[in-house]
Amino acid sequence: MDLRKILIVDVVVLVVYAIAANPAVTGVGVHEWLGLGALVVIVAHTAMHFDYLAETLRHAAHRRGLRLAKLVLDALLVLAFMACCVSGLMVSGAVLPALGLYAEGYYFWDPLHAASAKVLLALLLVHVVANWRIAAAGLKRKGNEHDE
Ligand code: HEM
Ligand code: HEM
């Protein structure tokens, strides 16, 4: 797949995340729908990088240590993001009522949402730094080659 298209999705993920992570700026209603929008772009992001994941595993067996560390980080990132989405939905004042639903347990889900958002931010910083060279390669190169 064209690295430039992948880079565009990476940048969209970053921008959507940056807006979604600041409910004080957008208001909580917009924040909730945008948070769900982030889910869509992040699923696209993961799907688009899947080729690279498989390719790296095949061609760079000697770099398994680093690769494994990145996989663990990615798995934690996905877990934090999922915790953030689920807890956000459970305290939602716009999305859930729009679906005709209501959830109990505000005092459990609300601190979880705030905490998972902070863990997500920390992991995302590491993820972006760890993958920056690969993402930036999209600006310079075509084709499937990419280094770590
Ligand atoms: C909350 C936001 C994000 C999540 C949940 C996320 C998640 C993931 C996951 C799970 C992978 C593993 C690849 C796969 O399984 O298909 C991955 C790979 C990657 N991500 Fe993200 N990502 C996020 C944001 C970003 C951003 C903003 C960038 C831009 C720099 C980025 C750049 C990359 C790159 C370059 C890879 C490929 C790494 C490789 O093949 O070694 N990601 N991401
Ligand atoms: C990228 C995903 C998301 C991030 C990074 C994020 C982050 C945040 C942050 C930092 C806050 C402020 C927490 C605080 O008071 O310290 C917040 C509040 C909130 N979020 Fe999210 N959120 C995300 C997704 C969602 C989703 C998908 C929903 C619901 C559908 C949601 C619903 C809410 C609600 C209702 C509040 C206000 C809670 C309150 O004031 O009691 N969030 N979010």
Side-chain angles (χ1 to χ4, degrees):
M1 194 182 289
D2 189 344
L3 278 173
R4 275 162 215 261
K5 285 191 193 135
I6 296 177
L7 177 72
I8 289 169
V9 175
D10 292 348
V11 172
V12 171
V13 171
L14 198 54
V15 170
V16 172
Y17 166 81
I19 304 172
N22 290 286
V25 175
T26 59
V28 174
V30 172
H31 166 76
E32 291 184 13
W33 291 107
L34 208 70
L36 288 184
L39 183 64
V40 176
V41 282
I42 285 168
V43 168
H45 166 79
T46 306
M48 287 176 97
H49 281 292
F50 212 76
D51 290 356
Y52 288 102
L53 188 73
E55 203 177 299
T56 316
L57 282 176
R58 241 183 293 126
H59 293 300
H62 59 288
R63 293 191 197 144
R64 281 249 165 91
L66 178 58
R67 186 67 239 181
L68 198 66
K70 283 176 72 178
L71 278 184
V72 171
L73 177 72
D74 287 349
L76 291 175
L77 190 64
V78 169
L79 277 180
F81 183 67
M82 289 304 153
C84 199
C85 281
V86 171
S87 57
L89 264 182
M90 296 308 268
V91 295
S92 161
V95 175
L96 275 193
L99 300 172
L101 299 170
Y102 168 79
E104 305 259 344
Y106 178 87
Y107 290 105
F108 172 72
W109 296 113
D110 196 51
L112 181 61
H113 190 60
S116 58
K118 285 177 185 84
V119 173
L120 179 65
L121 170 63
L123 291 171
L124 186 59
L125 284 174
V126 182
H127 181 76
V128 169
V129 170
N131 290 317
W132 190 250
R133 281 202 309 147
I134 300 169
L139 285 175
K140 289 186 237 132
R141 260 183 261 150
K142 290 198 189 119
N144 273 345
E145 54 171 321
H146 88 284
D147 44 28
E148 298 225 27

